[in-house]
Amino acid sequence: MLKKLRRKVSIAFTQGLKKRPKPYKTPKPESESQPQPQPPSQSPEFSVPTTMPRTNKQRFPFIFPETDSNVLPEPSNFFSQNLLSNPLPTNSFFQNFVLKNGDVPEYFHPYLIKPSNSSLSLSYPSQISNTAFTYQAFNSDLTITNSNEKTFHSNHKISSYSDLSVTLEIPSSNFRFFLVRGSPFVTFSVTQPTPLSISTIHAILSFSSSNESQTKFTFQFNNGQTWLLYASSPIRLNHTLSEITSDPFCGVIRVALLPGSDSRQVAVLDRFSSCYPVSGDAVFSKPYSVEYKWEKKGWGDLLILAHPLHLQLLSNVGSGVVVLEDLKYKSIDGDLVGVVGDSWILETNHVSVTWHSIRGIRDGSYDEIVSALVRDVEGLNSAGISTNSSYFYGKLVARAARLALIAEEVCFPDVIPAVRKYLKETIEPWLDGSFNGNGFLYDKKWGGIVTKQGSNDSGADFGFGIYNDHHYHLGYFLYGIAVLAKIDPAWGRKYKPQAYSLMADFMTLSRGSNSSFTRLRCFDLYKLHSWAGGLTEFADGRNQESTSEAVNAYYSAALMGLAYGDPHLVAMGSTLTALEIHAAQMWWQVKEGGNVYEEDFTRENRVVGVLWANKRDSALWFAPPEWRECRLGIQLLPILPISEVLFSDVDFVKQLVEWTLPALNREGVGEGWKGFVYALQGIYDSESALQKIRSLNGFDDGSTLTNLLWWIHSRGDEDDSFAHGKHCWFGHYCH
């Protein structure tokens, strides 16, 4: 068949495309037509469906066969009994607290928090930076414990958690810590009369009670720090050189670092010391919007710290929300600024989730794309796939799916049946359990999908079996599923339950035992981007390397919503896509002269290699810092229509490409990595990039010559501004 297609292409080239045919549309019998997405309602929180009509004797939610993994940690060591019947978080901001001994710090903005079985230590960290990395060093500025207890046998417990907080209990010390992200206060309740010990590695230079009621105290250390302590009722404190002790106390204690020497900052902390949050949720009430709501106790207004992306997106300033520009804490993520308000509304720019290019393909370029397309489709051979890795296999699936969509866009439908056949042959075995050597299973212990290989080997499939990189792997599969459901609606209906199960593994919004999966497995609702680390203890907390693969995951989920006529999934996928892009541009893309990071790190780097909760590293998991082409490529692959939004800052793209190009002179640079560099160069110099791409003799395993040519030929003029936020044209008519 493909030989016939070659003859057709040859005739087309010799005769010319006199009249461009109408865009290809998959024929849909009336019985197979898909409903079109309708605008989502303004519900309290839009979400993926929790029920679905039974079709073909299949039920929703579909659950893959259960497995008893022998590589997963035991959650009952640290989670309270009442939580164990629920799916549990596997990529959360407090993940270190429930792994191994549970005593590795996590970053809560502005403090590093380190629990043990008997105490909790906090640090206002100092930053250490050079050209290769920047990180925050933990020092036990304060360690809080029960001064009577000396021997402890029980673990600390996670008794509850929410999007923005975790409640950690230390039963042996009668402590309950309300650890709320962004709170300048560390707040804990002492549940029964207990003598307290607050020790430090520093020397206490001064100690004073600030009022006669004995409810506020100030102490200064020899490292220059000043701390404030507030008590809900009178407390009697004594101190030695490095320890503060109390008589038995029952009530609430709050401690806060004074971030500067300005007395006005003391007044601010005093003013908001009486109102404390105990939990916080992020609510998706409409597309491209997130609302933070905190449950609070005490009286007065609530003070929480905002990082730079919060401040960029905060939309309800002046409507019950006040930004305190003078109250700032240092952070690896940029200055944290005080915000007063019981709820925040964060609104992101809208992005168009489209099947095809945003700008359209240039006239005169169709022939070259079609020629490459025929060759690439001819090379599809499902029987020749040698990998059984969920990651690399997923990339091959998505790579082929791109060819079908490009064929639609260049009006060359003849190759689509071959792509459809390949997609069916590659995707179905993973969905029906017939794939040889691997497959998807369900882990009931933590509540999520694992692979057959990963359930027995924690290193298999890049740690997928211990919940590493879930959005990366599944995102590629979802892309292929979305495209196949689009071009073959009957197939899409047949495998809809399995498709939604894969999506729900990392996209579920539900909470509690009524769900099979934890809420937004990878997405951090305070940082507003994803983590990939899974159930591994890391000294620097969670981490993520590739932002573009994270964007692909949520973008692919939105495309699947388009294919299935599901407006809620389109809205949620689009919202998370937009947020992930904002965060990537804020923290991974390092602009010349930027002020988010220290000067030496900013001067030497244009992209972060691996971003950790408590560290920024120039190296990658698989490459040293000098391999700049890999650092660029891992933030771009896979190349999709949405990539244009991720790299919408043309000035930064020039900086990044010029920073990378000298690395291509190194011996042994892979052709696939060169292709990504040239693709970005095509944003501002398409002619030079096109010539370089034509000369490549190899491509990334998730890319093709067809896709690179499509990308270059769909670049508009540089002054044709499509900056982030201008991709939804209807917005121009909504003022």
Side-chain angles (χ1 to χ4, degrees), residues 461-530:
D461 294 324
F462 293 102
F464 192 91
I466 53 173
Y467 293 99
N468 188 61
D469 291 356
H470 268 218
H471 55 326
Y472 293 171
H473 298 220
L474 297 178
Y476 284 116
F477 277 95
L478 289 193
Y479 190 86
I481 289 170
V483 172
L484 186 50
K486 178 182 188 293
I487 64 178
D488 190 340
W491 183 93
R493 283 199 307 276
K494 179 179 179 181
Y495 288 98
K496 188 174 186 177
Q498 292 93 328
Y500 267 75
S501 187
L502 293 182
M503 174 276 300
D505 177 79
F506 68 94
M507 286 283 292
T508 289
L509 285 183
S510 302
R511 295 179 173 90
S513 58
N514 64 334
S515 173
S516 299
F517 304 101
T518 191
R519 176 173 163 90
L520 291 178
R521 183 179 308 282
C522 302
F523 199 83
D524 185 322
L525 287 161
Y526 180 82
K527 280 298 300 294
L528 303 175
H529 64 73
S530 300

Side-chain angles (χ1 to χ4, degrees), residues 27 77 85 106 125 142 205 244 301 350 361 402 409 411 418:
N77 290 338
S85 61
E106 290 281 18
L142 297 178
L205 297 184
I244 300 166
D301 296 322
H350 293 206
I361 296 173
R402 287 290 308 132
E409 192 167 358
C411 311

Side-chain angles (χ1 to χ4, degrees), residues 37-43 46 285-287 567-572:
Q38 300 298 316
S41 61
Q42 301 296 307
S43 57
F46 58 85
S285 58
K286 62 180 181 178
H568 297 303
L569 182 53
V570 174
M572 193 64 209

